[in-house]
Amino acid sequence: MSPRRRVALVTGAGTRVGRAIALDLSRHGWQVVAHFHSHRPPRTLLGIRGDLSLPDGPSSLARAFRKRFDRLDLLVNIAAVFERRAVEDTDAALFDEQMALNARAPLLLTRALLSLLRRARGSVVNVIDVGGALVPWAAYSAYGASKAALRAVTEALALELAPSVRVNGVAPGTVLWPESYTAGARRRLARRIPLRRVGAPEDVARTVRFLADSPFVTGALVPVDGGRHLGIPG
């Protein structure tokens, strides 16, 4: 590895948007460490397995990372659990599961890697969500609460870690369809987006890279949703 090559750690990099972010950074010259739990990342990336939902999961991942690298320029927290559940079916176990991975893990992993981030004057990008961070979604109360918590974590850390470490958030909208969505449901949802189309994982990846390369931006939350958070077009 070139001593000038920047190093990024991307959690949840084995699947969906996390995979797209990791591959995009790699294509643009970053040395990418791809955390995964059950979905292995592409072989072109250095993968580290870990369960971030466990109380010691973030510290275990940080130890594994430090065995290989002594610098960290960018931490991307995207590993998350996403589950639709009516309030009648939402119990303490579900709520705690969502909060543990979606909000607690990014905070504890940032803490565990803070000395490396400070040394590199690096940055953190938390992938939040339009749902919870900007607008409420019915039947996603636990998930929305976890993402609202992550937005609060992002803004608090941006204040606390400045000026040495920048912390920002990205709030994707519909950039990758859940497999359960029918063709009709997809058409109806696309009509509710001001840009009249859905996005792609690469749209989120480009925004993450923009924030990593913007030295005067911290505490920002950038929606990548085609304007969906503004409401249904007239």
Side-chain angles (χ1 to χ4, degrees):
M1 184 182 69
S2 167
R4 295 186 179 181
R5 194 176 184 192
R6 293 183 294 176
V7 179
L9 171 60
V10 181
T11 70
T15 186
R16 296 175 67 84
V17 179
R19 185 178 188 272
I21 292 171
L23 289 173
D24 180 82
L25 289 169
S26 180
R27 284 193 294 268
H28 286 84
W30 291 75
Q31 170 69 53
V32 177
V33 180
H35 156 267
F36 69 101
H37 182 211
S38 56
H39 298 89
R40 287 191 172 275
R43 292 184 178 182
T44 55
L45 305 176
L46 172 61
I48 300 179
R49 186 194 296 271
D51 187 350
L52 292 175
S53 68
L54 300 175
D56 64 345
S59 58
S60 296
L61 176 58
R63 285 194 298 270
F65 179 87
R66 288 174 180 274
K67 288 180 180 179
R68 296 168 173 84
F69 297 93
D70 61 0
R71 64 176 293 169
L72 178 61
D73 300 272
L74 173 64
L75 171 61
V76 182
N77 289 303
I78 184 172
V81 58
F82 175 81
E83 187 171 351
R84 178 184 176 90
R85 191 77 68 89
V87 66
E88 294 87 350
D89 300 320
T90 299
D91 56 16
L94 174 74
F95 189 87
D96 291 347
E97 176 190 21
Q98 302 268 322
M99 294 295 291
L101 183 58
N102 297 358
R104 185 183 70 190
L107 172 63
L108 296 184
L109 186 57
T110 301
R111 182 189 70 170
L113 293 167
L114 188 52
S115 63
L116 295 184
L117 287 164
R118 280 177 168 150
R119 185 186 309 164
R121 298 191 69 83
S123 69
V124 179
V125 177
N126 293 323
V127 180
I128 308 177
D129 202 323
V130 168
L134 295 173
V135 296
W137 288 348
Y140 287 95
S141 56
Y143 175 78
S146 71
K147 290 299 186 175
L150 183 55
R151 177 177 182 174
V153 166
T154 300
E155 294 175 343
L157 290 181
L159 285 173
E160 185 172 351
L161 303 186
S164 58
V165 177
R166 296 181 301 107
V167 185
N168 293 291
V170 176
T174 305
V175 297
L176 195 61
W177 291 113
E179 294 180 0
S180 60
Y181 278 36
T182 65
R186 297 180 184 194
R187 286 193 297 271
R188 287 192 296 274
L189 181 54
R191 286 196 295 267
R192 299 176 64 185
I193 300 172
L195 291 186
R196 293 299 199 279
R197 62 179 178 85
V198 300
E202 291 72 22
D203 294 314
V204 183
R206 281 191 291 268
T207 306
V208 169
R209 203 161 23 86
F210 161 76
L211 291 171
D213 289 330
S214 299
F216 199 54
V217 178
T218 195
L221 177 62
V222 182
V224 184
D225 68 343
R228 182 181 174 187
H229 69 282
L230 300 173
I232 300 174

